[in-house]
Amino acid sequence: MARCDCGADSGPLGVCADYYHAILAEEQGDPGMYRWHAVVVCAYVLQHPSAGRGKFLDGQFRLLQLYAHQGLDALLRLQAHQVARNNHRARSGYDMRPLTPYAPLPAGGPPAHFRAAFTGLPVSDGSFVADGHPPYGHRIHAVAEATLESWAELLDPGDHHEGQAPHPG
Ligand SMILES: [Zn+2]
């Protein structure tokens, strides 16, 4: 069985990239599913940093913390605020102030393992939301929490958990 870069076993669709692209395709036609888009993107690139653009990882880590702390509506409000700001020619650039209270991306990543992975997401009849949007949201939330949890462990190297293999390289 193939193993993904993030340490997860592959699932019926393949590795996490296969799940990620299937989610991005399905959410295009489903606004209820698309509400979770930013959480999906942040969790995916933080679990697979080689797939993302490194200079955005810190902001994505903070954004995921904001989501975990304040909820999805707060994340969506912040994004709407950023879009409005970028559309206003007189004031360009991102407003990073809402993200400054959150921890910066720890050095030494990525973590070797995450408690919940994209390959663990159930797909039924080719859909991630076959059982509705709330259960899908709960599953994405679990992946987001697992992502933050593993990264946060890098912040406190003195707090070792048993059975954790060092990251190769
Ligand atoms: Zn993966």
Side-chain angles (χ1 to χ4, degrees), residues 4-8 16 47-48 119:
C4 187
D5 291 347
C6 68
C16 297
Q47 290 200 2
H48 309 84
T119 54

Side-chain angles (χ1 to χ4, degrees), residues 36-125:
W36 294 89
H37 175 76
V39 180
V40 166
V41 171
C42 289
Y44 180 76
V45 298
L46 284 162
Q47 290 200 2
H48 309 84
S50 61
R53 297 172 65 184
K55 65 176 179 171
F56 296 126
L57 270 185
D58 180 74
Q60 286 160 326
F61 182 57
R62 291 169 189 256
L63 202 59
L64 209 54
Q65 291 173 76
L66 180 139
Y67 156 73
H69 181 233
Q70 299 186 38
L72 185 59
D73 287 341
L75 172 62
L76 294 173
R77 275 198 304 276
L78 176 63
Q79 289 198 305
H81 166 69
Q82 301 289 18
V83 169
R85 187 183 167 93
N86 287 352
N87 287 345
H88 198 287
R89 288 172 184 271
R91 300 167 67 204
S92 62
Y94 271 80
D95 179 4
M96 295 298 286
R97 282 173 299 175
L99 298 178
T100 52
Y102 295 103
L105 190 73
H113 177 76
F114 299 91
R115 192 164 45 77
F118 280 80
T119 54
L121 296 172
V123 185
S124 179
D125 293 330

